[in-house]
C-alpha cells in the first residue's frame, strides 16, 4: 500500500513535461516480501531521482531525492506505521507560529480556571 502511494507520486513527476524522458534506470533492487513481511525496494535514475524503501509488518521507512522543476533539491524521508504516515523534509509546509495573544489567553485560562473546575480539583 505504501509502495503504491509513493509510486503514484513518482509517476506524477514522471508525466510532467519538464522531466528528462530519456532518463535511464542506473540501479534497481526489488526484494519481495518474505514470510515475515520484510521487503526492500530501491532505484536510481540517470536524471538524479533516488528512491528507497524498506519495511516489515511493523512499518515502513523510506526516502526520495530529486531536483524539482525549479531546480530545488528535494529530499524526503518518511516512516509509516500503525500511527500513520510521517514525512520529513525541508520543502514541506509548516504551520505558522501560534500568535502571542493566543499563548497569553491560554496561559490566562490555565492560571484562572473556571469556578466549576476549581471545585472538581
Amino acid at each position: 500500500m505504501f509502495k503504491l502511494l509513493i509510486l503514484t507520486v513518482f509517476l506524477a513527476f514522471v508525466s510532467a513535461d519538464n522531466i528528462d524522458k530519456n532518463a535511464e534506470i542506473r540501479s534497481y533492487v526489488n526484494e519481495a516480501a518474505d514470510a515475515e513481511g520484510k521487503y526492500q525496494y530501491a532505484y536510481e535514475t540517470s536524471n538524479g531521482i533516488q528512491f528507497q524503501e524498506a519495511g516489515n509488518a511493523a512499518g515502513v521507512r523510506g526516502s526520495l531525492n530529486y531536483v524539482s522543476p525549479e531546480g530545488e533539491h528535494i529530499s524526503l524521508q518518511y516512516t509509516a506505521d500503525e500511527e500513520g504516515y510521517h514525512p520529513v523534509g525541508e520543502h514541506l509546509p509548516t504551520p505558522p507560529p501560534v500568535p502571542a495573544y493566543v499563548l497569553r489567553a491560554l496561559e490566562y485560562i490555565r492560571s484562572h480556571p473556571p469556578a466549576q473546575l476549581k471545585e472538581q480539583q
Side-chain angles (χ1 to χ4, degrees):
M1 180 168 135
F2 300 114
K3 196 185 310 184
L4 179 60
L5 171 69
I6 298 303
L7 184 59
T8 303
V9 170
F10 174 71
L11 290 176
F13 287 118
V14 170
S15 65
D17 289 336
N18 58 349
I19 299 296
D20 177 7
K21 292 184 167 96
N22 297 318
E24 298 176 0
I25 295 175
R26 289 190 172 161
S27 65
Y28 177 76
V29 174
N30 186 11
E31 296 177 14
D34 61 16
E36 298 170 0
K38 185 177 173 184
Y39 73 92
Q40 183 175 345
Y41 181 75
Y43 61 84
E44 182 177 355
T45 64
S46 60
N47 62 352
I49 298 171
Q50 298 173 330
F51 173 78
Q52 59 185 3
E53 181 176 288
N56 58 33
V60 174
R61 179 175 303 267
S63 67
L64 173 65
N65 296 287
Y66 64 95
V67 177
S68 75
E70 297 78 26
E72 180 184 3
H73 178 75
I74 303 296
S75 180
L76 174 72
Q77 288 78 39
Y78 62 90
T79 58
D81 54 27
E82 68 276 354
E83 294 182 17
Y85 177 70
H86 312 282
V88 176
E90 290 185 16
H91 67 289
L92 297 174
T94 58
V98 177
Y101 69 89
V102 172
L103 293 174
R104 287 191 305 272
L106 291 172
E107 178 55 30
Y108 180 85
I109 292 168
R110 187 193 64 73
S111 62
H112 299 86
Q116 61 187 8
L117 290 179
K118 286 182 183 177
E119 295 169 6
Q120 292 175 358
Q121 294 176 353

